[in-house]
Amino acid sequence: QHYPDPNHKPEMAIALTVFEGLCGFRPVNEILENMKAHKELHSHLSKEIVDIINYGKQSVIDEISFIKKLFKELIKLKKSADIVKEALERSSDLSASDKLFNRIHAQHPGDGGLVCIYLLNHVILQPGECMFLGANKMHAYFSGDCVECMACSDNVIRAGLTVKFSDVDTLVNMVDCTPGSVASQKLTPIRTKGDNIRMYVPPVKDFAVDRVWPNNKPLTLVNKASPQIMLCTEGSGTVSSGDCAENISPGDVVFVVPHVSVKVTGDCTVFTAYCQD
C-alpha cells in the first residue's frame, strides 16, 4: 500500500542557493561525542549502548551494528525531543548540533526525528555543490533551493520531521547505517566543454545531470541515448534542434527525445537530466 514501486530510490540534490540538510550517519567518534554530551538520554538507553558511549570508540566492535542499535533505541524513544529540549533549556553551553536542534524544534516541536540531528551529518552546500543519497540512506532537507533528481520510484520511508505517514519499523530494518564524513556525502561534478558544463554523475545508472550555461555563446550538447528533461533555472535563452527552437526562462522545461543534438544559446542556466548510457 505505501511502497508500490519495485525500483530503488537513490537521489541527488544540486544546490541553487545555500542549501542545508542532514545526510548519512556521522563518523562513530562524532556520534559518541554527541551522545556523551546528552546524558539525559542515557537512562532511556540499553546498558550495552551506554557502556559503549562511556568507554569510547575503542569499545565498538562493529560500527554499523552499533549505529543501527543506537538509532533504533533513539527513534523509538517516546518524547526524546522533549527530554533533549528540557536539558538544553538548562544549559548555557550549546554545541552547533544543539543550536540546530533548537532551530528545527521550533518548526517541528516534540518530533521524534529531531534526535537524528545528533546522528546524521549536517551538510551545507554552496550553489553548484551536490550531495548524492544512495538507496536507503537517511536524509532530511532543511532550507534552500535545489535541483533534485532521483530514480523512478515513489517509495519514501519516513520516521520524523513530517506530517506525512511515518513507518519507523520499516525504516529501522532498511536504513543504511554506514558511517561517513560530510565530505563523503558530496558528489564532485566533472568539468567539460571548457567552463560551461558540469556533469553530475552518481554511482548508479538510473540518472545523471548536466548543468549548462552558454554565456551568450552557442553551446552544442552531445546527444544522449536516453531522453532528456531540460530545466531552465536562471536567465533566458533558446534551446534548438534543427528547425525547432524553444525560448526558455526560469521554470520552463523542454523534453528532448533520444539521439538528438541540442544547442543552447543565451544568458541562462539549464539543468538537463538523463539516464546514463
Side-chain angles (χ1 to χ4, degrees):
Q1 177 184 356
H2 299 292
Y3 315 112
D5 292 323
N7 199 26
H8 66 168
K9 192 174 179 288
E11 58 189 77
M12 66 180 178
I14 304 169
L16 297 176
T17 64
V18 175
F19 188 79
E20 177 189 24
L22 301 176
C23 181
F25 284 94
R26 296 172 183 258
V28 167
N29 60 312
E30 290 185 20
I31 293 175
L32 290 173
E33 183 179 336
N34 285 337
M35 289 297 99
K36 197 166 187 177
H38 283 277
K39 298 187 184 300
E40 71 275 7
L41 291 169
H42 292 193
S43 62
H44 303 278
L45 300 173
S46 66
K47 182 179 183 302
E48 176 189 357
I49 290 294
V50 174
D51 285 346
I52 292 175
I53 293 171
N54 290 330
Y55 295 144
K57 185 177 179 181
Q58 65 272 14
S59 64
V60 180
I61 298 174
D62 184 331
E63 291 188 349
I64 293 176
S65 295
F66 162 69
I67 292 174
K68 195 175 192 73
K69 184 171 178 57
L70 173 61
F71 169 65
K72 180 178 180 179
E73 293 188 16
L74 284 175
I75 201 69
K76 290 193 170 189
L77 174 60
K78 293 182 187 281
K79 297 187 177 180
S80 60
D82 295 336
I83 294 169
V84 173
K85 182 62 176 173
E86 289 174 6
L88 295 183
E89 288 175 348
R90 297 191 299 267
S91 175
S92 58
D93 184 20
L94 301 184
S95 68
S97 294
D98 293 333
K99 293 175 182 177
L100 178 62
F101 180 98
N102 278 337
R103 178 157 63 87
I104 305 304
H105 187 279
Q107 302 171 32
H108 299 275
D111 193 293
L114 285 162
V115 290
C116 293
I117 286 171
Y118 298 105
L119 304 181
L120 302 177
N121 287 294
H122 182 208
V123 181
I124 299 177
L125 300 179
Q126 299 302 315
E129 289 190 313
C130 171
M131 60 179 168
F132 172 72
L133 304 87
N136 302 333
K137 179 172 284 191
M138 278 190 65
H139 63 282
Y141 298 154
F142 291 154
S143 64
D145 297 326
C146 75
V147 169
E148 186 180 36
C149 189
M150 63 190 70
C152 187
S153 174
D154 198 32
N155 295 340
V156 182
I157 307 172
R158 305 177 184 89
L161 305 183
T162 180
V163 296
K164 298 180 180 179
F165 172 74
S166 292
D167 188 350
V168 172
D169 290 333
T170 299
L171 181 61
V172 167
N173 289 334
M174 292 184 61
V175 66
D176 180 356
C177 293
T178 304
S181 65
V182 168
S184 71
Q185 315 305 321
K186 296 182 180 181
L187 179 70
T188 302
I190 301 169
R191 293 191 178 199
T192 184
K193 286 276 186 181
D195 204 37
N196 297 100
I197 297 178
R198 296 289 186 277
M199 300 172 60
Y200 300 84
V201 184
V204 293
K205 292 294 186 181
D206 302 71
F207 58 85
V209 175
D210 293 351
R211 178 166 64 100
V212 179
W213 59 104
N215 285 336
N216 288 312
K217 296 179 181 179
L219 186 60
T220 301
L221 307 183
V222 176
N223 66 66
K224 310 291 187 185
S226 83
Q228 299 180 68
I229 297 175
M230 305 184 76
L231 168 67
C232 179
T233 59
E234 186 178 6
S236 61
T238 303
V239 174
S240 61
S241 180
D243 296 330
C244 181
E246 291 288 340
N247 294 326
I248 55 173
S249 58
D252 287 340
V253 174
V254 176
F255 179 80
V256 181
V257 298
H259 304 293
V260 169
S261 181
V262 174
K263 183 183 296 183
V264 182
T265 58
D267 185 12
C268 58
T269 300
V270 175
F271 288 83
T272 177
Y274 54 93
C275 295
Q276 297 185 47
D277 295 340

